Amino acid sequence: MFRGIDEVDWASLRHAYGSAENVPGLLRGLASADPAERQTALDGMYGAVHHRGDVYDSTLACVPFLLALAVREEVGDRAAVVELLVSIGGVDGAGDGAGDGHGEAVDGYAARARTALRAGAEVFVRLAGDPDAGVRRAAPGALVRFLDPPARVLTLLRERITVERDDRVLLALIESLGLFARRHRSADGARAAEAVRLLATLSEPPHGPGLRLAALGRLAGCAPELLPGDLVPTVVRLLRDRSGQRSGTGRGPDGPGADTLAGRLRRLRPSDEEGSQLLRTLHSALGGRVADRIALLCGQLTSPDALDRCNAVWMSARLFREWRTGAEEPVALIGAQLGAEEGWLHDAAATVLGELFELAGPAADHLHALVACRPEFRIRHGERGAPTLGGPLKALARAGDARATPLLAEVLAGPVVPDDLGLVIPHLGRAAGPLAPALRRRLARLPLDEPGMRGPAVPLLSALTALGDAESVPSVLRLLRGLPDAPRRPDAVTEAAVRAVGAFGGAAHEAIPDLRALLDTDCAVAAAQALWSVTGETNAVVPVLVRGLTAPGRGRQRRAAADALGRLGPAAGTALPELRRMTGSGDASERAAAACAVWRITGDPEPVLPVLRSAWMEHPRTRTTIAGCAAAVGPTATLVHDLLRTELRSPRRHRANATGHDGHAIHEDETLLRTCREALGG
């Protein structure tokens, strides 16, 4: 199976981390009798040779050897080899050669890999009837992608469905039927329609609930008009029938185990991955049918089976990340999972609720009940790293619920204070006011000569900044003056301290000499903003901010300088030439920040309106900045009101990403919506 492997000049080929000279060892590792060695080799293939789905010249060179491995029955984990081949051939070609310096654009290595797999597609015909059920499960996807003609593929799929007895393989065959129908809808409509009819048959009795769920999910993606009128009740009933048939009682992830990232992810993931995939497919196919998806989630979240409910918790996160929807009922039902006996279930619920911020309000009673009677959920002690705030308490505070305040006060009074506690306090608004004295004391006790103080210092300063606690001035100045080398190099603690001084305004007048001393440092922009806040001076501030507009390699500083100049209004008129230059260069966020500053300084949006409209449409991350400017400028904002109204009417979040893991994306979108309403007058 490795004939000719040593004749390949692997050293001249590339993968994600450079020379591919280690690839022969990985290929031989896939054939090892040692399971651990096989797993290490497979990790290496995905980690380097097929890194993040990319196809390199070394990936292409591996295809013949992977095909040879797939048909040798003495090789363990052949199913994983087939899955790797399907993944390599499934790349769309848009990113070919990325990262290797020798890319061949769209019709490069990925296209050639697909050609090689089509040439070897008879291998997958043989594997479709392999004795190993895992291999049979991986093969149908390869048949649909690489085998021709379509009539033969459909015949093979139908034959395999007729003779197959393993439900997991049948699920893969149904998935491949759906893929076949979508791929051939235009080129071979008759064959696609035949596949759809077969799916419709499989979605009805006497087939079992799991197979019917799979078929319904695929029908939703390729022929939604064939779905039953009572889709949601049907799916919920099938889901519960399937759960009732599942052997044993079903269990969650193993635990407690080591408190590592991998261990935590394993505990949060339900063991019923098959059921999760069935419902994920259906939710994805339903797409913008949000009302149906909400109703389906509510059915899942009220299932008697804890694994079904856990799957629903994670799926709800996907829905909330992508769509702006009235989520009160499913959020309340997610909150109800906090009372479950299964630790992995309430961990999952707390994680998702923490991502919702203010939208977690309907679950606030459940969150409060849990952390009020279970102190162990207030702080999470990891095996490595500093303690963090417990998920349920963090979610309660992020929801802005005032009941979090006394609980956070108890944490602040304890011997261990999580570094991230200060980051949730701003979400409580005025309700967090009683925490100011304890935060102030904590800040005053930080040892200035210990490197570890930087971790807790920034969150504490952020909290006091949000509270505008002017009584903290002495503690903040102690920190600002006591940091070693702070004036001579950029430092997150220095900048956080300077921002705090700016938030205290005139009450921080004793900090004026310190701020002036920082105007010639890398913290100059933050210091200039704070100095203006404290003194109202513009003559000393504007030149510093103008210099900040050209800070090399520091986009965040340039944006901050532009924003500060805009807030100064007409007093920053001397900055206009540099701001206008900035509207035509740099990334979209810098152009938008500069355009907003020009608008606020001149009161005339016409010259920069094209910049603002272009940034709004092409770079959604700029929208909150632009909406905030519109809210500040008054009557001239009418020129962008059409953008704001369109945003408010859109059902999708402005950075919609169902699968992403940006824990602040939902909160940022809700902030954008509030800002748009403010700019439109309520």
Side-chain angles (χ1 to χ4, degrees):
M1 56 187 146
F2 295 120
R3 181 178 300 171
I5 194 171
D6 295 326
E7 297 172 13
V8 179
D9 185 7
W10 295 100
S12 69
L13 304 181
R14 313 290 290 176
H15 56 48
Y17 298 104
S19 170
E21 57 189 345
N22 66 324
V23 172
L26 295 176
L27 289 168
R28 290 188 170 99
L30 292 173
S32 171
D34 180 0
E37 187 175 347
R38 293 198 302 271
Q39 185 59 54
T40 299
L42 188 65
D43 288 348
M45 294 296 293
Y46 278 108
V49 182
H50 190 37
H51 179 70
R52 294 185 177 179
D54 286 336
V55 174
Y56 306 86
D57 52 4
S58 64
T59 324
L60 178 62
C62 287
V63 168
F65 303 107
L66 292 171
L67 287 169
L69 282 167
V71 297
R72 297 292 288 266
E73 292 188 12
E74 69 270 22
V75 173
D77 300 333
R78 287 183 300 130
V81 174
V82 178
E83 289 167 0
L84 176 59
L85 285 166
V86 170
S87 182
I88 290 170
V91 175
D92 64 11
D96 292 359
D100 66 359
H102 304 283
E104 293 190 12
V106 173
D107 58 349
Y109 299 130
R112 291 165 64 187
R114 287 194 295 277
T115 299
L117 287 164
R118 289 191 184 108
E122 288 299 326
V123 164
F124 303 114
V125 176
R126 173 178 167 184
L127 295 177
D130 195 90
D132 185 329
V135 174
R136 297 200 307 277
R137 190 182 186 200
L143 291 175
V144 175
R145 289 172 173 87
F146 310 131
L147 185 66
D148 283 317
R152 185 184 179 201
V153 175
L154 187 56
T155 297
L156 285 169
L157 292 177
R158 185 188 296 106
E159 289 175 353
R160 293 310 311 169
I161 289 172
T162 301
V163 301
E164 184 59 61
R165 293 295 177 265
D166 187 299
D167 277 354
R168 300 186 74 194
V169 180
L170 283 168
L171 290 174
L173 288 162
I174 289 172
E175 179 180 347
S176 298
L177 270 178
L179 177 62
F180 180 94
R182 292 196 307 275
R183 287 171 71 93
H184 297 288
R185 184 180 303 160
S186 300
D188 193 343
R191 296 281 184 271
E194 193 176 343
V196 167
R197 285 194 294 272
L198 185 51
L199 283 171
T201 300
L202 291 165
S203 72
E204 299 173 348
H207 301 288
L211 300 183
R212 292 180 63 191
L213 283 170
L216 286 170
R218 294 302 161 183
L219 279 176
C222 63
E225 68 279 4
L226 296 182
L227 292 172
D230 58 345
L231 176 66
V232 171
T234 297
V235 170
V236 171
R237 184 177 65 252
L238 290 173
L239 179 65
R240 296 186 181 184
D241 289 346
R242 176 185 174 275
S243 301
Q245 292 177 5
R246 193 163 48 223
S247 59
T249 58
R251 62 178 181 82
D254 296 333
D259 196 4
T260 61
L261 177 59
R264 181 167 173 77
L265 290 174
R266 187 168 55 251
R267 290 194 299 277
L268 289 176
R269 186 185 305 120
S271 63
D272 181 25
E273 180 57 30
E274 180 183 287
S276 176
Q277 180 60 39
L278 289 173
L279 272 296
R280 277 201 304 270
T281 298
L282 185 56
H283 275 281
S284 297
L286 289 174
R289 293 174 57 173
V290 176
D292 282 342
R293 294 179 67 183
I294 290 287
L296 180 53
L297 280 174
C298 291
Q300 294 175 254
L301 287 164
T302 52
S303 169
D305 187 274
L307 288 174
D308 287 345
R309 300 200 304 276
C310 192
N311 283 333
V313 168
W314 292 122
M315 287 172 209
S316 66
R318 295 167 62 92
L319 179 70
F320 301 150
R321 289 175 192 137
E322 190 173 4
W323 298 95
R324 297 163 175 165
T325 175
E328 292 82 1
E329 186 177 1
V331 170
L333 290 172
I334 293 170
Q337 310 311 312
L338 296 168
E341 295 180 4
E342 299 83 3
W344 42 268
L345 179 50
H346 62 63
D347 278 356
T351 300
V352 170
L353 291 171
E355 195 176 330
L356 298 182
F357 286 76
E358 57 268 53
L359 296 184
D365 287 346
H366 296 289
L367 287 165
H368 178 256
L370 180 65
V371 292
C373 66
R374 301 281 296 276
E376 66 270 25
F377 286 110
R378 299 177 190 177
I379 300 177
R380 181 175 174 271
H381 297 274
E383 187 177 77
R384 299 175 183 174
T388 57
L389 204 62
L393 182 51
K394 180 185 293 186
L396 185 67
R398 282 178 164 182
D401 194 293
R403 289 174 292 182
T405 298
L407 298 170
L408 292 172
E410 291 183 30
V411 172
L412 274 168
V416 176
V417 177
D419 289 353
D420 60 345
L421 180 145
L423 299 178
V424 306
I425 287 175
H427 298 288
L428 289 167
R430 293 183 179 180
L435 299 174
L439 292 166
R440 203 182 307 140
R441 288 192 295 272
R442 282 280 175 183
L443 187 67
R445 289 202 296 266
L446 286 179
L448 300 180
D449 54 350
E450 291 186 10
M453 69 80 117
R454 298 178 186 273
V458 172
L460 288 171
L461 287 164
S462 298
L464 292 166
T465 300
L467 294 174
D469 182 50
E471 293 184 48
S472 301
V473 170
S475 297
V476 174
L477 288 179
R478 166 184 171 269
L479 203 62
L480 189 59
R481 294 166 179 169
L483 289 172
D485 300 327
R488 291 188 289 279
R489 59 186 176 85
D491 180 273
V493 179
T494 302
E495 289 201 10
V498 168
R499 284 195 297 271
V501 169
F504 303 151
H509 61 88
E510 60 186 292
I512 293 173
D514 302 274
L515 296 175
R516 292 189 189 280
L518 290 169
L519 294 178
D520 292 321
T521 72
D522 287 333
C523 293
V525 170
Q529 293 180 80
L531 185 62
W532 177 70
S533 175
V534 173
T535 67
E537 295 180 13
T538 56
N539 292 339
V541 166
V542 171
V544 175
L545 295 175
V546 171
R547 288 199 304 272
L549 296 176
T550 58
R554 305 191 74 193
R556 184 174 65 85
Q557 291 281 46
R558 293 193 291 271
R559 293 192 298 273
D563 180 68
L565 288 164
R567 292 174 187 277
L568 291 176
T574 57
L576 285 171
E578 192 58 43
L579 285 167
R580 290 189 175 113
R581 181 205 61 78
M582 189 172 166
T583 63
S585 62
D587 66 21
S589 60
E590 292 177 35
R591 296 196 303 273
C596 286
V598 170
W599 186 0
R600 297 182 72 168
I601 292 169
T602 65
D604 180 12
E606 290 284 358
V608 293
L609 202 55
V611 177
L612 295 171
R613 287 185 171 276
S614 172
W616 182 283
M617 299 303 297
E618 298 172 22
H619 303 278
R621 286 181 179 272
T622 66
R623 292 181 186 178
T624 303
T625 298
I626 297 169
C629 180
V633 295
T636 58
T638 55
L639 291 176
V640 295
H641 277 187
D642 61 312
L643 296 176
L644 307 181
R645 292 192 181 99
T646 299
E647 186 67 48
L648 290 174
R649 288 194 297 266
S650 173
R652 288 174 64 88
R653 299 202 179 276
H654 75 293
R655 292 196 293 116
N657 185 354
T659 59
H661 299 287
D662 183 348
H664 288 74
I666 294 173
H667 175 61
E668 290 171 6
D669 186 72
E670 292 295 317
T671 299
L672 170 62
L673 295 177
R674 283 196 303 273
T675 308
C676 288
R677 294 187 190 104
E678 179 186 350
L680 290 169

